[in-house]
Amino acid sequence: MHDNSTAQRAVGFLLGLTDPDDAARVRRRIGAPSRGPDERRTAHAVLKLTPVPSSVLVWILEEDDPKLNAAVYGHPSADPGLRRAVLRGVPFGPGRTDTLPVDRVLLKHANEPPLPPGMVAQGLVGALRAATAMAPARDAASMVLGHRDWRTVTEADRERPLPGYARWALSVRPDCPPALRAQFGSHPKFTHRLRQAGVLAGPGAYATGHGPAAHVLKVLSLGHVMFPARVRDAENALRPLVRDHLGGREDAWAVLAQLLDTFHGTAPELIMTAGAIA
């Protein structure tokens, strides 16, 4: 197997979806390493250097772990709203309302983005309603922090629809509740805008519909440490394909490892291609 950490992580993730005895035999055959002893620290280091869709950062924040939150704060894909929420200890996990402790390194070195102009005088909903261009709409949308604020925005839009720029800025926030997006309605460019913003339907859709496969699988390989509650959806989406097309066939796994570096399709396409070639 190539001495390539991305390829190793990608193959390692898929091997975790097949029979353990088969996986151990394949590892010996192609030289795929098992998880290291300090996988959490490794995952943090890999995340810093790995571009990810913004929804992946929300899946991490849903763990409500201060150390993981600090990793999200420092990631290039984190928008001002997510960074502001991390510094204020806003919980993201379902049903949680208690303020989270903030990592001490962040408390010492990080600064919250400045408040948008007019925010104090107009309040959250007022600032959203006053937005007549994209820049002020994004600024106002960055102040929607946590479950309570999202409920406030949802109720305000239901009483009287928010302006188009505000709706757009809120909808591309990766933590915008799906029900609120549906309330905003649809537009011919809506899906494209969400995709550009890195907003995903869920880990299963990410695992099966995005590429290149090596990069997606590398991100998912961090899931058991960074977003364990969410990575199961991706595993469940890929497991039947892995078992049907690769299983315990060492030759198929060897082909998959060889294809990874240059394959531009999705993970399902990679899995089926490797199985067909073998």
Side-chain angles (χ1 to χ4, degrees):
M1 185 175 179
H2 302 300
D3 184 17
N4 178 301
S5 61
T6 296
Q8 289 177 348
R9 286 189 164 275
V11 174
F13 175 77
L14 292 177
L15 281 171
L17 307 182
T18 193
D19 177 80
D21 292 336
D22 288 341
R25 177 164 44 81
V26 171
R27 287 183 193 278
R28 291 192 297 269
R29 165 73 168 76
I30 68 174
S34 302
R35 290 175 182 171
D38 194 359
E39 191 67 11
R40 184 180 177 100
R41 179 177 296 178
T42 301
H44 276 248
V46 172
L47 179 69
K48 288 181 181 179
L49 303 174
T50 305
V52 298
S54 56
S55 284
V56 174
L57 300 182
V58 175
W59 303 341
I60 296 172
L61 291 173
E62 287 174 351
E63 295 297 312
D64 286 335
D65 180 317
K67 290 293 184 185
L68 294 180
N69 290 356
V72 168
Y73 179 92
H75 197 277
S77 297
D79 64 22
L82 294 184
R83 290 197 173 103
R84 199 188 304 277
V86 167
L87 289 180
R88 294 194 184 189
V90 173
F92 280 76
R96 180 156 188 166
T97 57
D98 296 339
T99 301
L100 302 174
V102 179
D103 182 74
R104 59 184 179 83
V105 175
L106 281 186
L107 286 174
K108 186 174 182 181
H109 298 289
N111 295 311
E112 182 177 326
L115 290 176
M119 184 69 195
V120 175
Q122 296 170 314
L124 176 58
V125 174
L128 288 168
R129 293 203 185 280
T132 57
M134 199 61 210
R138 283 179 175 147
D139 286 343
S142 76
M143 293 302 301
V144 182
L145 306 176
H147 308 304
R148 181 179 299 175
D149 283 353
W150 284 113
R151 284 195 298 271
T152 298
V153 170
T154 299
E155 292 166 3
D157 181 74
R158 190 178 293 126
E159 290 173 4
R160 178 162 60 94
L162 294 169
Y165 284 113
R167 285 182 157 204
W168 184 355
L170 291 166
S171 67
V172 297
R173 282 278 304 267
D175 52 335
C176 177
L180 179 56
R181 280 202 194 98
Q183 183 173 305
F184 287 157
S186 60
H187 186 280
K189 296 182 179 180
F190 191 70
T191 301
H192 178 65
R193 288 169 179 169
L194 294 179
R195 191 178 183 97
Q196 279 189 316
V199 177
L200 308 173
Y206 180 52
T208 57
H210 291 255
H215 185 85
V216 171
L217 294 171
K218 175 185 177 182
V219 173
L220 293 176
S221 75
L222 309 177
H224 67 282
V225 175
M226 309 297 277
F227 47 97
R230 288 289 207 152
V231 75
R232 297 188 192 98
D233 291 341
E235 293 172 340
N236 291 339
L238 293 176
R239 185 175 287 107
L241 290 167
V242 170
R243 295 189 172 181
D244 289 346
H245 295 275
L246 302 175
R249 299 164 55 200
E250 296 175 13
D251 54 345
W253 284 99
V255 170
L256 182 139
Q258 291 172 350
L259 290 175
L260 264 170
D261 288 340
T262 56
F263 195 86
H264 296 289
T266 64
E269 292 168 342
L270 170 67
I271 293 165
M272 290 186 285
T273 299
I277 292 175

